[in-house]
Amino acid sequence: MRGMDYTGETTELRRGVLGPCVLALLAERPRFGLELVRDMSHADGLLTSEGTVYPLLNRLRDSGWVTSRWRHEGDQRPRRYYSITEQGRAHLTGFRAEWSAFAAAVDTVLRIDAGQRRVREPGRQAAGKPHEDST
Amino acid sequence: MKTALEHPLVADYLRRLDNALASLEAGAAAELSEQLRAHFIDALAADASDDKVAEVLASLGPPATVAAEAGPPWPERRHPRQPLRRRIAIRVRRTSLRAWLIIVPLAATICLAAGTRIYWAVQPSLGFNGGSYTWWYPVDATHDVISRAAFVTQDTVALRPGQLQGIGILLYNPSDMTQRILGTPRILDTPHFGGFLGTPEPPQIAVSTTMPWKLEGEPHELRYEIGGAIPPHSYRWVRVLWRSWHCLANEPGGWFGSNELTVRVQLGWVTRTETIQLPTLFALSITKANLDAGYCKAHGGFQPQP
């Protein structure tokens, strides 16, 4: 299926998981805005636009999952630090459990599909064990 | 002092951002604007090169994308309340004739003032609503220790005997009426706090006079008014200061703390007490140095714990 554009699908998928990813980072320790954005950016392909992290943080705050506080550190200017709330931790725990099962299920289906295609392609040796339903 | 915000490329980006945010609720737009300004200040030196600035701008993404992401943000926008008149009209239409025969005579016996008073009384209380908070004085804010045990987050600083200490907290007024914070707050939970906050002088509570999310939004830059008010569906910083008092403790190593704040609030002509759940347990730890300072002795002597 070459030439198909998956950008829209991955964008929606990415939007769905960004919130839990932010919560996971904040569960490790509180972070200020730029610090959080940089840590998110280190995960390749997760962020397409760093600026969207801030609206996301505000939505998580509105949901009661994230809170913020101003801190002074040494001679630096005051910064707003974001941290996860107890509600946020509970949500993250639930998401982690669901995500593991969901990702495993998707992965299984995608592998099956790839296996079938390999078997059906004419003139090419199947890489794995052929499926019995291939004709 | 010059900052990265004055760089022409950054200034242009912020101008386009503010235009893109124009359709958002004012508080939400101002907060997002403040967050991105802080991002620039942290990410760029004041004398950053054009290339470096362009790199940071490219990473952030276009202002329109950022604004679009802020689409459905605030609780009051997600669940917009119907105007009062419409809510009453809906209720009237749903009330049966039989019910009216009971309600009308009953209502006639209730004077307008009493009705108004009830309306005021049912307004929701002030709350934290996922805002922001800080220890007020930098000496505390830079040395606080955050710990977590038994699903409670505790934010602890050292008690400074005889000195002012305090917290700043962003509170939200979810009601349809202005709420004026009149009263001396009491921090509850432990028997120590009455003595701790009650002496040697009453604590002071003040409310910021403006919206908290002006440029940079830093709570210390706002003006505060004792007995100040929080308008309907608005946020304000609330500053609580007290002179710390440790003379109810009898040994070092302990702490006083609370995760609730109780305030006297006025709505219209009604005054009531509201207990606000704080986002963390604010605590003051006592060291041996505190107890050796002679402060208790100078202020009426040391008292054992109840």
Side-chain angles (χ1 to χ4, degrees), chain B residues 167-186:
Chain B
I167 57 174
I169 185 162
L170 191 60
L171 293 186
Y172 180 65
N173 176 4
S175 73
D176 292 332
M177 299 182 64
T178 294
Q179 297 201 32
R180 184 171 297 282
I181 300 182
L182 301 173
T184 303
R186 288 182 300 124

Side-chain angles (χ1 to χ4, degrees), chain A residues 63-129:
Chain A
S63 299
W65 297 337
V66 163
T67 188
S68 70
R69 60 192 294 271
W70 287 88
R71 288 183 67 177
H72 309 243
E73 288 201 338
D75 295 333
Q76 294 179 331
R77 70 183 193 86
R79 283 186 173 127
R80 190 202 290 229
Y81 276 76
Y82 299 91
S83 54
I84 191 169
T85 64
E86 293 308 326
Q87 265 183 288
R89 284 184 195 280
H91 177 77
L92 179 61
T93 302
F95 180 84
R96 277 180 168 143
E98 279 192 29
W99 176 258
S100 299
F102 175 74
V106 172
D107 202 37
T108 303
V109 172
L110 291 178
R111 281 174 197 276
I112 289 170
D113 180 53
Q116 286 176 338
R117 202 163 56 236
R118 278 199 299 274
V119 171
R120 284 170 180 162
E121 279 176 7
R124 188 172 169 184
Q125 186 72 32
K129 183 181 177 184

Side-chain angles (χ1 to χ4, degrees), chain A residues 5-114:
Chain A
D5 182 11
Y6 295 102
T7 308
E9 290 170 16
T10 51
T11 299
E12 287 306 310
L13 191 58
R14 192 182 290 119
R15 282 168 64 99
V17 299
L18 273 181
C21 289
V22 167
L23 292 178
L25 285 173
L26 296 182
E28 184 192 23
R29 63 181 164 81
R31 285 168 161 84
F32 63 90
L34 179 66
E35 189 183 14
L36 179 65
V37 166
R38 291 282 152 86
D39 288 345
M40 292 283 286
S41 299
H42 287 156
D44 285 340
L46 196 57
L47 268 187
T48 53
S49 165
E50 292 182 353
T52 58
V53 171
Y54 295 103
L56 172 63
L57 270 172
N58 296 342
R59 280 203 300 277
L60 295 174
R61 190 267 316 280
D62 291 344
S63 299
W65 297 337
V66 163
T67 188
S68 70
R69 60 192 294 271
W70 287 88
R71 288 183 67 177
H72 309 243
E73 288 201 338
D75 295 333
Q76 294 179 331
R77 70 183 193 86
R79 283 186 173 127
R80 190 202 290 229
Y81 276 76
Y82 299 91
S83 54
I84 191 169
T85 64
E86 293 308 326
Q87 265 183 288
R89 284 184 195 280
H91 177 77
L92 179 61
T93 302
F95 180 84
R96 277 180 168 143
E98 279 192 29
W99 176 258
S100 299
F102 175 74
V106 172
D107 202 37
T108 303
V109 172
L110 291 178
R111 281 174 197 276
I112 289 170
D113 180 53

Side-chain angles (χ1 to χ4, degrees), chain A residues 58, chain B residues 18 21-34 73-74 76-77 211-215 233-235:
Chain A
N58 296 342
Chain B
D18 288 340
L21 296 177
S23 61
L24 293 183
E25 187 265 334
E31 182 180 38
L32 194 51
S33 179
E34 172 252 306
W74 300 88
E76 59 266 39
R77 280 161 52 97
M211 281 290 288
W213 297 305
K214 69 184 185 68
L215 179 64
H233 306 287
S234 298
Y235 286 87

Side-chain angles (χ1 to χ4, degrees), chain B residues 1-278:
Chain B
M1 194 177 79
K2 192 180 175 192
T3 70
L5 300 182
E6 294 165 43
H7 190 286
L9 291 175
V10 174
D12 177 61
Y13 183 94
L14 291 172
R15 200 163 35 248
R16 288 187 289 131
L17 177 72
D18 288 340
N19 288 338
L21 296 177
S23 61
L24 293 183
E25 187 265 334
E31 182 180 38
L32 194 51
S33 179
E34 172 252 306
Q35 288 169 313
L36 287 168
R37 281 172 160 83
H39 181 99
F40 284 127
I41 292 172
D42 285 334
L44 292 168
D47 57 351
S49 67
D50 289 355
D51 287 346
K52 178 64 183 171
V53 172
E55 182 189 326
V56 169
L57 292 179
S59 300
L60 267 181
T65 303
V66 177
E69 195 66 24
W74 300 88
E76 59 266 39
R77 280 161 52 97
R78 272 207 310 265
H79 306 292
R81 280 191 90 173
Q82 299 274 15
L84 177 62
R85 197 179 299 172
R86 179 156 173 72
R87 276 183 276 155
I88 293 173
I90 291 171
R91 182 62 56 89
V92 166
R93 278 202 300 273
R94 288 178 181 173
T95 305
S96 67
L97 180 61
R98 188 172 176 179
W100 276 118
L101 293 174
I102 301 170
I103 290 170
V104 170
L106 188 64
T109 63
I110 301 173
C111 69
L112 182 63
T116 306
R117 190 183 168 89
I118 290 168
Y119 173 70
W120 290 343
V122 299
Q123 293 295 318
S125 302
L126 300 175
F128 176 66
N129 200 32
S132 194
Y133 64 91
T134 182
W135 284 98
W136 187 256
Y137 292 102
V139 65
D140 295 323
T142 51
H143 295 100
D144 67 333
V145 175
I146 298 175
S147 57
R148 191 166 166 273
F151 304 104
V152 175
T153 304
Q154 179 170 325
D155 198 336
T156 309
V157 300
L159 184 143
R160 294 184 283 112
Q163 297 181 33
L164 285 177
Q165 293 190 274
I167 57 174
I169 185 162
L170 191 60
L171 293 186
Y172 180 65
N173 176 4
S175 73
D176 292 332
M177 299 182 64
T178 294
Q179 297 201 32
R180 184 171 297 282
I181 300 182
L182 301 173
T184 303
R186 288 182 300 124
I187 296 184
L188 306 175
D189 267 1
T190 78
H192 310 298
F193 267 87
F196 160 59
L197 283 176
T199 56
E201 62 193 60
Q204 179 205 83
I205 185 164
V207 180
S208 69
T209 56
T210 53
M211 281 290 288
W213 297 305
K214 69 184 185 68
L215 179 64
E216 289 302 307
E218 212 277 319
H220 296 80
E221 295 176 0
L222 303 171
R223 283 188 59 243
Y224 288 83
E225 181 188 7
I226 295 172
I230 305 181
H233 306 287
S234 298
Y235 286 87
R236 287 288 185 277
W237 277 95
V238 173
R239 184 187 67 191
V240 183
L241 303 180
W242 62 82
R243 192 168 296 283
S244 287
W245 178 256
H246 62 285
C247 299
L248 288 176
N250 57 10
E251 58 183 14
W255 52 268
F256 313 147
S258 177
N259 56 1
E260 286 182 343
L261 177 68
T262 302
V263 289
R264 289 296 293 169
V265 172
Q266 182 181 9
L267 296 87
W269 299 330
V270 171
T271 302
R272 70 184 186 191
T273 299
E274 295 182 1
T275 299
I276 297 160
Q277 194 69 34
L278 300 175

